[in-house]
Amino acid sequence: MSALRFPNLPPSGPQGSELLAEERSKTTFSVHELSNYIYGEEYLERQEKLLSLIENEPAFDKTNRYFLGRTERFAGALRKDHALVKMSQEQGWTPEEFQQADILIDESGPFGLHRSMFMPTLVSQGTEEQHEKFLKPALRYEIIGCYAQTEVGHGSNVQGIETTATYIPETNEFEIHTPYLTACKWWIGGLGKAANHAVVMARLITAGKDYGPHAFVVPIRSMEDHTLLPGVMAGDIGPKFGFNTTDNGTIWFDHYRVPHISLLAKYSKVKPGTGEYITPPNAKLSYGTMVLVRATLVGYARITLAKAVTIATRYSAIRRQFVDKDSPKKVGKMIVETPVLDYSMQQYRLFPIIAAAYACHFTSKEMMRLYYLNIKEMASGNFSLLADVHASSSGLKSLTTTMAAAAIEECRRACGGHGFSSFSGLPLMLQDYSPNVTWEGDNYMITQQTGRYLFKSFRELVAKRASGKFNASAITNPTLGYLSTYLDNPELKCPATTPAQFSNPEIQLAAYGHRAAHMVAEIVHALDVEKRSWNSMLVEIYNASVAHCQFILVQNFILGIRGDMPQPEGVTLPELSSTLKTALTDLSDLFALHQIHKQPGEFLTSGYLDGKQLSMIGKAVMDLMEHKIRPNAIGLVDAFAFPDYYLNSALGRFDGKVYEAYTEMATREPINQTEVVQGYEKYIKPFTNPLGKQGKTIQARL
């Protein structure tokens, strides 16, 4: 029993539950309709079913999550991952059910990379024989794998990795070796203690020639007792800023032999005996897993944005500070302090994050559709989509994960002092989300891939127009569309003359397209005419990628609301009611206009907007927030349908009982389990009561 107790008193009125009920009564659309539109009825029903199982499993209990150290948390995560796999097997879950349960539990674990990287790599790069040998046991968790690419000396530069895999024709084996300290694999999730196999990216050397990085399936621990195999040394790399429930590890190899079948050979092959290297039909075929992971990260950014802003928005509707003398809030005839959510500055901080979460929803769905379409096309020998999908996934991974990481911190700060408490749920969320801006390509580095695609597309478009072979009506690619529009009229000006006219989606798209195209044109001119070095242009290249991807987000948001977004084969979305369509259009307008208001420079230098129009956009943004989005704010975050179990936040509770939950969580603090702190006799008493006096005459000095 805790030594800390609170009085059995309610918070001062109005109660949080009353305030949220009032907020919900103002919503202009059906929250359930929006939830159903985002997820589908099947998903929502499945969530309820899964919750009933998960909340009753001790291994998934979140009660003490914020009080544990790294060793305890890792042990708990190992127990959690085991229980999750067992429950999945017992319940006969589909992959969708498993993923949904994993999201609800919301804790990284030692088996995470087995599912997210190891098995997808086997699927995309393995032969049928390798699927039998490695994938099927992995699906049963007889093999537990990880993905060992990053080295202590090389991360984003995959071509620079130093681990070698040399083909030995006499024995038909590959020798995996770590030639330098910098070649030790590092940061590999699941490798530290859990995995018994690894997909190792190593430089394939055969017949004396280095063919660069290739993927090898490498056993690293005994299947009998989990000890490291001879020639392998591995372990955990230690505590990190976050993600401490995953055993990120290091590994190095000492002339370690693996059989010929270890080379994942769906595309690249080495002939047994001769060592002849057979090249893949397309050098970028192996990009499949990378594109999938990056597209998935866009969806995860949406979930993270939504989770953080749900907590901050609900709390801001309950938290009251000061009395707005110009517009005092009344409960009955009594004047009460103003909810923080009524202040325009709080709205400017939070409402664009709500809008960003919905924007990422539409784009994440489109990225997954394009990924599967591209896989289908590549299987039939058509690689026309690959460059665009790879470039978009790179830029969007960078932009959306940067947005999400910044949003968590903004939401934490928007919760004031209580946002600094772990009980808000936001500090741990920030710690565990932060790796997303670095893994799968550093967010500043991978935008160069997007840039190269944009510049190549621009040059090809200019050349086609000059040759007379250009046909504007044949353009279906949105990137080529906005580049072509710019080339038609580089001096295009925005026609808007009032704030209201900026709600026109065609004006919004023209602004974003013109700005991105202008930046691309300027960079191509600098590289090709001024002969600037690539390195000297990296800042501009990053900014051009951001501009391009913001165009994608804005366009997909608009198309999604219109119902014009292409859907996967066999999928039909329900038609939006007029009230819901209006509410989402308000959010889409805010997302587009807030970005311009916040970062006006590039829109001005492109020439499309002028200073007066920027002032109009500012007025449009403030009007949107105060009059259109403010009444719907709670409804918009409620529609994300996050249960309290998932949020694990005192501040973001659906029922609004913030202060009751917050104080109760404090009683669970381990150092509150005794009234007198351990160490009092040794470290405090020598100062405060050195003579050991007893009795009521000894009083605390105030």
Side-chain angles (χ1 to χ4, degrees):
M1 181 178 176
S2 177
L4 174 65
R5 296 178 296 279
F6 290 93
N8 188 23
L9 297 171
S12 59
Q15 299 301 306
S17 55
E18 297 168 346
L19 289 167
L20 288 187
E22 181 186 356
E23 292 286 345
R24 289 173 177 132
S25 71
K26 299 174 184 174
T27 306
T28 63
F29 60 89
S30 165
V31 171
H32 179 73
E33 182 193 355
L34 180 50
S35 297
N36 187 43
Y37 180 77
I38 297 170
Y39 303 108
E41 197 71 50
E42 182 183 349
Y43 181 99
L44 297 172
E45 291 175 357
R46 193 164 62 222
Q47 178 167 278
E48 290 302 312
K49 171 189 164 188
L50 291 170
L51 269 178
S52 66
L53 294 170
I54 290 169
E55 290 189 288
N56 289 305
E57 167 54 57
F60 306 147
D61 181 26
K62 299 183 182 182
T63 304
N64 295 314
R65 184 173 287 185
Y66 298 135
F67 303 111
L68 303 177
R70 200 230 163 171
T71 302
E72 297 166 303
R73 290 196 68 205
F74 177 71
L78 196 56
R79 178 191 181 203
K80 177 266 297 182
D81 273 2
H82 172 266
L84 184 60
V85 172
K86 292 295 290 182
M87 182 176 284
S88 172
Q89 292 171 341
E90 291 165 3
Q91 296 291 328
W93 283 348
T94 63
E96 292 77 18
E97 286 172 316
F98 189 101
Q99 182 185 37
Q100 199 168 346
D102 197 28
I103 288 171
L104 287 169
I105 296 166
D106 193 32
E107 183 174 67
S108 66
F111 296 174
L113 273 291
H114 173 72
R115 293 186 289 269
S116 66
M117 287 296 294
F118 181 75
M119 289 197 288
T121 303
L122 296 180
V123 169
S124 64
Q125 297 187 44
T127 63
E128 288 187 15
E129 182 185 8
Q130 289 169 326
H131 287 173
E132 286 291 327
K133 184 173 180 61
F134 302 121
L135 180 59
K136 288 187 176 180
L139 288 166
R140 298 189 296 267
Y141 285 81
E142 294 164 9
I143 285 177
I144 297 174
C146 59
Y147 184 82
Q149 176 171 289
T150 299
E151 297 174 353
V152 71
H154 284 89
S156 298
N157 180 17
V158 179
Q159 293 302 315
I161 63 172
E162 298 170 325
T163 302
T164 58
T166 304
Y167 181 64
I168 311 297
E170 292 80 5
T171 59
N172 195 31
E173 294 176 304
F174 292 97
E175 185 175 270
I176 313 294
H177 184 59
T178 303
Y180 309 103
L181 180 64
T182 46
C184 294
K185 298 296 182 181
W186 202 268
W187 287 115
I188 313 305
L191 170 63
K193 292 296 177 184
N196 53 36
H197 281 67
V199 166
V200 176
M201 291 298 290
R203 309 190 71 82
L204 171 60
I205 300 171
T206 181
K209 185 174 180 181
D210 184 338
Y211 288 92
H214 285 66
F216 296 81
V217 181
V218 179
I220 58 174
R221 288 185 170 96
S222 165
M223 298 297 287
E224 183 178 326
D225 61 7
H226 208 59
T227 55
L228 292 168
L229 295 172
V232 176
M233 177 53 66
D236 189 90
I237 63 171
K240 309 167 289 271
F241 177 74
F243 224 67
N244 281 302
T245 47
T246 292
D247 52 330
N248 291 87
T250 179
I251 192 169
W252 60 272
F253 304 94
D254 184 8
H255 301 282
Y256 181 66
R257 297 284 184 94
V258 295
H260 179 270
I261 197 173
S262 294
L263 171 64
L264 290 178
K266 185 174 183 179
Y267 303 118
S268 304
K269 298 176 176 64
V270 170
K271 281 191 176 181
T274 67
E276 179 188 349
Y277 180 73
I278 302 172
T279 58
N282 187 301
K284 295 181 179 179
L285 277 168
S286 61
Y287 283 15
T289 304
M290 185 191 306
V291 170
L292 173 61
V293 173
R294 289 177 180 174
T296 301
L297 288 175
V298 177
Y300 186 38
R302 192 279 300 176
I303 295 173
T304 303
L305 285 159
K307 182 182 181 184
V309 81
T310 295
I311 293 169
T313 303
R314 284 180 180 165
Y315 177 61
S316 295
I318 293 166
R319 180 70 171 185
R320 291 170 283 130
Q321 294 278 29
F322 309 106
V323 173
D324 183 351
K325 59 185 179 181
D326 297 323
S327 181
K329 183 174 179 64
K330 293 183 179 180
V331 175
K333 294 183 178 181
M334 183 176 67
I335 293 177
V336 297
E337 289 182 281
T338 301
V340 175
L341 199 57
D342 282 347
Y343 290 109
S344 60
M345 191 66 238
Q346 193 78 342
Q347 294 172 13
Y348 193 79
R349 298 168 76 181
L350 296 181
F351 292 175
I353 299 175
I354 299 175
Y358 281 94
C360 287
H361 162 73
F362 289 105
T363 288
S364 67
K365 290 187 70 174
E366 175 63 1
M367 285 306 301
M368 293 307 296
R369 185 191 73 83
L370 287 171
Y371 165 75
Y372 287 112
L373 178 61
N374 178 56
I375 291 295
K376 181 180 177 181
E377 293 297 316
M378 286 200 306
S380 61
N382 179 5
F383 299 95
S384 61
L385 271 176
L386 181 59
D388 189 78
V389 173
H390 177 249
S392 296
S393 70
S394 299
L396 285 166
K397 180 271 176 183
S398 171
L399 176 60
T400 58
T401 58
T402 297
M403 288 164 56
I408 300 170
E409 175 63 6
E410 188 64 62
C411 288
R412 187 195 68 75
R413 293 184 183 188
C415 290
H418 295 327
F420 194 66
S421 169
S422 291
F423 302 154
S424 71
L426 294 164
L428 183 59
M429 194 192 313
L430 177 62
Q431 292 166 24
D432 284 350
Y433 188 78
S434 290
N436 285 270
V437 304
T438 303
W439 63 29
E440 293 309 311
D442 171 81
N443 276 9
Y444 289 96
M445 185 282 301
I446 59 171
T447 54
Q448 295 179 63
Q449 297 168 14
T450 311
R452 287 190 182 94
Y453 168 74
L454 292 173
F455 309 148
K456 181 182 178 183
S457 298
F458 184 81
R459 292 182 183 111
E460 290 176 350
L461 194 58
V462 170
K464 278 185 180 179
R465 293 168 71 97
S467 69
K469 298 178 182 179
F470 176 68
N471 179 7
S473 62
I475 292 179
T476 57
N477 183 310
T479 304
L480 297 179
Y482 76 67
L483 291 174
S484 178
T485 299
Y486 175 82
L487 288 170
D488 285 340
N489 186 3
E491 305 303 320
L492 185 67
K493 304 296 180 186
C494 175
T497 57
T498 67
Q501 289 175 349
F502 282 99
S503 64
N504 182 337
E506 302 310 320
I507 287 178
Q508 295 168 10
L509 286 172
Y512 276 87
H514 193 85
R515 166 231 198 177
H518 174 79
M519 295 169 75
V520 170
E522 291 286 300
I523 294 168
V524 170
H525 183 269
L527 292 171
D528 295 356
V529 179
E530 298 174 13
K531 302 301 180 184
R532 294 271 300 276
S533 70
W534 184 265
N535 182 48
S536 72
M537 297 298 295
L538 287 179
V539 173
E540 290 88 347
I541 292 167
Y542 172 80
N543 290 336
S545 174
V546 169
H548 169 69
C549 292
Q550 285 179 341
F551 171 85
I552 293 174
L553 287 168
V554 171
Q555 177 178 268
N556 287 339
F557 206 160
I558 291 168
L559 293 177
I561 295 169
R562 284 179 179 172
D564 293 338
M565 181 83 75
Q567 298 300 318
E569 191 174 338
V571 174
T572 303
L573 290 178
E575 189 173 337
L576 295 172
S577 66
S578 59
T579 53
L580 180 52
K581 193 169 187 177
T582 298
L584 286 176
T585 300
D586 292 338
L587 272 186
S588 176
D589 289 345
L590 178 63
F591 180 75
L593 299 182
H594 172 262
Q595 294 288 346
I596 299 173
H597 189 247
K598 191 176 179 181
Q599 297 175 306
E602 293 159 357
F603 293 93
L604 284 172
T605 55
S606 75
Y608 185 74
L609 296 172
D610 61 32
K612 287 184 179 180
Q613 289 169 325
L614 283 175
S615 179
M616 293 177 201
I617 287 174
K619 291 176 182 177
V621 166
M622 301 310 290
D623 182 69
L624 272 169
M625 294 192 304
E626 181 182 0
H627 297 114
K628 296 184 177 181
I629 295 171
R630 174 64 187 91
N632 284 327
I634 293 299
L636 287 166
V637 298
D638 281 353
F640 293 131
F642 294 145
D644 286 340
Y645 170 80
Y646 171 66
L647 294 177
N648 198 25
S649 167
L651 306 189
R653 289 174 61 98
F654 183 85
D655 64 9
K657 294 184 177 180
V658 167
Y659 299 113
E660 298 93 326
Y662 195 27
T663 51
E664 189 278 327
M665 290 176 92
T667 66
R668 288 190 252 129
E669 165 58 49
I671 65 173
N672 283 333
Q673 302 314 300
T674 59
E675 184 174 343
V676 178
V677 68
Q678 185 180 0
Y680 163 75
E681 293 286 342
K682 189 172 182 179
Y683 302 116
I684 297 176
K685 186 177 178 181
F687 292 129
T688 61
N689 188 13
L691 301 178
K693 293 181 181 179
Q694 298 181 354
K696 296 181 180 179
T697 57
I698 305 299
Q699 301 292 326
R701 295 175 175 86
L702 301 180

